[in-house]
Amino acid sequence: MLGALGIYSSALDAFDADEVALLSELANDLAFGIAVLRTRAERNRAEQALREKTKELDQFFTVTLDLLCIADTDGYFHRLNPQWEVVLGYSLSELEKRRFLDLVHPDDRANTLAVLGKLGAQKIVLNFVNRYRCKDGSYRWIEWRSYPLGNLVYAAARDITDRKRAEEELERHREHLEERVTERTAELRQAMRQLVQAEKLAALGHLVAGVAHELNTPLGNARLVASTLSDELRAFAAAVDAGALRRSQVDTFLNRGREAVDLLERNTARAADLIGHFKQ
């Protein structure tokens, strides 16, 4: 019920059937006109609200520092925000005239095509990274968050080139540090081996000095005995040559010879033992 139309007369049955039909038709026309006007007003309000919302979204689309786009699963951009011009150097019209796959780094195209396949299957793709060629020929690393809707893809992305460069620089420093650690470890091991060798040589020197000191006594004794025996032998030979050799001299010579041999055997045995321990 949109309203009521009332027509009054002081006389009974003032309107005949045709007039009543005409008045009814007029009332219906008025009701239809009012309904149309109300519908048009509501549509105008809805359109105005839509225009305001679209303007609001356009402002957000324009001012954000992220890379926003609407693309399709065939590899074409439909709409991009101005930040793309800042990052890649192309104008928006240049970007919207070409397949974005043509801008993808050759090494990243296979993965990009695989992601487009997932989006075509209506699967959300988050944190996908690939490289895009700039107008100056350089490449920028782009990280994507993409949401499919039919054959369209609504995506937000950001330029992570500086982050990637920092990560690569950090990786180079890490590798360099590992190389330096490896080199330093090798140097320390070599120094340790040299130190151990020096300590072994020093210990060997002390051992040799000790053995030499220990050998000095039996060898000195043996040399003294040999020298004394040599003197006794010359004296004995002189007595024989002079024909003045007595029995007592022979006995004395033999006794001293036996003592000398005994001393020589004991001292040389001691020297042999010391040398044997040194070899062990």
Side-chain angles (χ1 to χ4, degrees):
M1 177 67 71
L2 298 176
L5 175 64
I7 299 177
Y8 300 93
S9 174
S10 58
L12 293 174
D13 298 325
F15 303 103
D16 58 24
D18 291 337
E19 290 173 333
V20 170
L22 179 61
L23 290 172
S24 296
E25 184 177 352
L26 175 61
N28 290 333
D29 289 342
L30 288 173
F32 177 76
I34 293 171
V36 169
L37 290 175
R38 287 184 175 179
T39 300
R40 183 176 298 170
E42 291 175 357
R43 185 179 64 189
N44 289 338
R45 286 194 296 271
E47 289 176 350
Q48 180 62 28
L50 180 60
R51 283 193 295 270
E52 292 176 357
K53 183 61 67 175
T54 300
K55 183 179 179 180
E56 179 182 328
L57 291 175
D58 285 343
Q59 289 177 340
F60 175 77
F61 199 81
T62 301
V63 301
T64 181
L65 295 178
D66 285 333
L67 302 167
L68 304 180
C69 75
I70 302 172
D72 59 39
T73 53
D74 293 326
Y76 288 92
F77 287 123
H78 286 222
R79 186 181 179 188
L80 305 102
N81 69 326
Q83 191 64 18
W84 285 94
E85 295 179 323
V86 176
V87 173
L88 298 185
Y90 298 99
S91 67
L92 294 182
S93 60
E94 287 176 312
L95 290 171
E96 291 170 354
K97 289 178 181 178
R98 61 193 310 172
R99 296 177 74 231
F100 60 76
L101 283 172
D102 295 337
L103 301 176
V104 174
H105 192 285
D107 293 342
D108 297 336
R109 286 177 186 168
N111 289 338
T112 303
L113 286 171
V115 166
L116 284 176
K118 291 181 180 180
L119 293 169
Q122 303 303 295
K123 295 180 180 179
I124 295 173
V125 176
L126 304 178
N127 304 322
F128 173 68
V129 176
N130 60 3
R131 286 164 288 182
Y132 273 73
R133 187 177 69 251
C134 300
K135 194 168 185 176
D136 62 6
S138 63
Y139 281 89
R140 307 292 293 183
W141 289 92
I142 308 297
E143 184 178 35
W144 295 87
R145 299 174 69 87
S146 304
Y147 299 83
L149 184 61
N151 70 326
L152 293 180
V153 177
Y154 296 83
R158 62 182 53 184
D159 179 7
I160 61 168
T161 304
D162 291 340
R163 189 184 81 189
K164 293 290 289 186
R165 288 174 178 170
E167 291 173 352
E168 291 171 356
E169 184 66 20
L170 182 62
E171 180 64 17
R172 283 194 293 270
H173 281 300
R174 185 189 65 79
E175 292 176 353
H176 177 68
L177 181 60
E178 288 182 351
E179 291 176 359
R180 291 294 299 131
V181 169
T182 301
E183 293 173 358
R184 186 57 179 161
T185 301
E187 292 172 357
L188 289 174
R189 287 176 177 172
Q190 179 63 22
M192 184 62 70
R193 285 193 292 267
Q194 292 175 350
L195 179 60
V196 170
Q197 185 65 22
E199 290 178 349
K200 287 182 178 179
L201 291 175
L204 181 61
H206 290 304
L207 179 60
V208 169
V211 171
H213 177 72
E214 292 293 330
L215 283 174
N216 188 55
T217 299
L219 291 178
N221 291 337
R223 184 175 181 182
L224 178 61
V225 170
S227 176
T228 301
L229 184 60
S230 177
D231 292 340
E232 292 289 338
L233 182 60
R234 282 194 296 271
F236 185 80
V240 171
D241 292 340
L245 185 65
R246 297 189 299 274
R247 177 66 185 177
S248 60
Q249 288 178 308
V250 173
D251 292 339
T252 299
F253 178 76
L254 291 175
N255 289 333
R256 289 180 177 176
R258 281 191 289 270
E259 290 175 357
V261 169
D262 180 61
L263 287 172
L264 285 173
E265 287 179 345
R266 283 190 284 121
N267 282 281
T268 54
R270 174 60 179 162
D273 288 340
L274 290 172
I275 293 173
H277 287 303
F278 176 73
K279 289 181 178 180
Q280 294 176 359

